[in-house]
Amino acid sequence: MSTVRRWIHMAVTRNVKQLQLTFYPEEENEDVEITHCLVTCCSLEALMLDLNYRGLKLPNIMGFPRLKDLYLACVDLGDGSVVKGFLESCPSLEYLGLLDCMLCKLDLLCISSPKLKKLSILNVALMDDGQSGGVKISCPKLVDLELRGLIANNFFFECLDSLNKAGIEPKLTGNIKSVLFPGISHVEHLWIDLYFFSQCINLACNPTLANLKTLALIIAIDAFTMDELIRILKYYPKLESLKLIVKEEFDGPEERELHEGDARKMMTPDVKKLEFFEFKGEKPNLVLDWHEVIIMEIVFSWGTKANYFSYNRL
């Protein structure tokens, strides 16, 4: 570590702007301590830390004066003081990424920052060690949000007045008590798990999203029902693009028909494009007697090969 500290000091003295550090401590319970010179570095703008599921110690000082991008991979976040410390001591932070970080010791992970513009929490490799009791996000300047994997069952969204794009695909294992509305009320492009979205709508007093233009629903083919889709779409009459992403395969042949009556109900006047991704069934027989549709594009995708059906109706 003494050698590593000298290397870091040399990088700092040469006005390093981007730094990626990967540590593999020999002791299982050994925490990695960030050097004082790195915290006070005036040139550092982007920092990536991969700690092989070890804890992280920060000096108890204000630091990282110009740090804009912070990426933590495989870090044991402990009681959450690490994330809180970075958010409080990085006045210029705009991007925070957490990849496969251990959240299991946290009752509630709070992410509150006045300047944060993009947040990504991806826990796709961890199992039970990746889940916290809940996640609370309050960032008035946040524009882009991505949540995917085993993170928590409870999510609380507040003060996301600038949010434009959100991708929310949590892996759920227990009771859902998430408060999605009205926290994301300004979002224009939403990519979200259908089951999670449906549960949040059930809990909301007013689940409308006035600015929503694009809605991508992630579904399991064996859990897909047209009635549920229609129930959700009635809240978003100004939707311009609807995408259905079929994520799970099913065994054996199975028929899923889109009857003309149901198809008419699921379309809203402003929709111009309907997409089905990773559709594993037979190629559908399309009913195209939709007189009220002026221009419509329907996309079905089998695996990596997409087939496009475009129609211009006079």
Side-chain angles (χ1 to χ4, degrees):
M1 285 301 300
S2 60
T3 302
V4 173
R5 292 190 184 96
R6 287 198 296 270
W7 290 341
I8 294 174
H9 179 72
M10 291 173 62
V12 169
T13 58
R14 286 161 175 75
N15 298 321
V16 61
K17 290 187 176 182
Q18 300 181 14
L19 187 61
Q20 178 177 337
L21 299 172
T22 303
F23 294 92
Y24 292 91
E26 294 183 355
E27 298 296 330
E28 184 176 347
N29 297 322
E30 182 180 354
D31 292 338
V32 176
E33 185 173 357
I34 297 297
T35 61
H36 187 281
C37 69
L38 184 60
V39 175
T40 58
C41 180
C42 294
S43 61
L44 188 65
E45 296 179 357
L47 175 64
M48 176 180 177
L49 295 174
D50 186 338
L51 303 189
N52 194 34
Y53 303 111
R54 302 301 195 270
L56 179 64
K57 290 183 179 179
L58 291 174
N60 189 22
I61 58 173
M62 293 295 291
F64 301 106
R66 296 188 60 186
L67 190 67
K68 293 182 178 180
D69 298 343
L70 175 63
Y71 190 85
L72 302 179
C74 304
V75 177
D76 183 349
L77 297 181
D79 60 0
S81 58
V82 170
V83 174
K84 181 180 179 181
F86 272 114
L87 292 176
E88 290 180 350
S89 64
C90 301
S92 302
L93 194 65
E94 296 182 356
Y95 168 70
L96 173 63
L98 305 177
L99 174 63
D100 291 332
C101 290
M102 293 177 61
L103 309 173
C104 56
K105 300 174 185 177
L106 282 161
D107 292 328
L108 183 66
L109 174 62
C110 293
I111 299 178
S112 178
S113 173
K115 293 186 178 182
L116 201 66
K117 294 181 179 179
K118 183 176 181 179
L119 172 64
S120 297
I121 305 179
L122 310 178
N123 271 12
V124 295
L126 291 175
M127 298 302 290
D128 293 341
D129 288 342
Q131 185 174 356
S132 66
V135 173
K136 181 178 180 181
I137 301 172
S138 178
C139 304
K141 298 296 183 182
L142 196 69
V143 176
D144 193 333
L145 172 66
E146 183 178 13
L147 304 172
R148 184 159 60 91
L150 189 62
I151 302 171
N153 274 325
N154 301 324
F155 294 86
F156 306 94
F157 302 88
E158 299 177 355
C159 301
L160 302 182
D161 299 339
S162 300
L163 190 64
N164 177 267
K165 180 174 66 174
I168 306 175
E169 188 185 354
K171 184 177 180 181
L172 306 171
T173 60
N175 294 326
I176 301 174
K177 299 178 182 178
S178 299
V179 181
L180 190 63
F181 307 93
I184 66 165
S185 60
H186 297 278
V187 71
E188 294 186 9
H189 309 282
L190 180 61
W191 174 296
I192 194 166
D193 176 81
L194 175 62
Y195 176 72
F196 176 79
F197 195 39
S198 179
Q199 294 297 315
C200 292
I201 288 176
N202 292 339
L203 293 171
C205 295
N206 181 9
T208 59
L209 300 171
N211 299 330
L212 191 63
K213 296 179 180 178
T214 303
L215 176 62
L217 295 173
I218 305 162
I219 64 174
I221 190 64
D222 55 352
F224 172 75
T225 64
M226 189 61 68
D227 289 341
E228 180 66 11
L229 183 61
I230 294 171
R231 185 183 74 87
I232 290 176
L233 289 180
K234 72 179 182 180
Y235 294 110
Y236 313 109
K238 297 299 182 180
L239 198 64
E240 296 178 4
S241 177
L242 171 66
K243 303 179 182 182
L244 302 182
I245 300 96
V246 182
K247 295 293 288 185
E248 298 179 10
E249 297 183 13
F250 58 91
D251 297 326
E254 184 171 345
E255 293 185 1
R256 297 285 175 177
E257 296 183 4
L258 297 181
H259 296 290
E260 187 260 349
D262 288 338
R264 185 187 299 276
K265 291 179 182 178
M266 68 182 287
M267 301 306 297
T268 62
D270 295 323
V271 171
K272 300 297 187 296
K273 186 175 183 179
L274 174 64
E275 301 182 60
F276 289 81
F277 290 93
E278 302 178 30
F279 199 86
K280 305 298 181 181
E282 295 294 327
K283 294 184 179 181
N285 294 322
L286 299 180
V287 179
L288 299 174
D289 189 20
W290 298 339
H291 300 291
E292 68 270 28
V293 179
I294 299 175
I295 298 176
M296 182 180 195
E297 181 179 3
I298 307 177
V299 180
F300 288 86
S301 173
W302 288 265
T304 57
K305 184 178 179 180
N307 296 271
Y308 294 87
F309 305 88
S310 299
Y311 301 93
N312 294 320
R313 303 295 298 270
L314 299 178

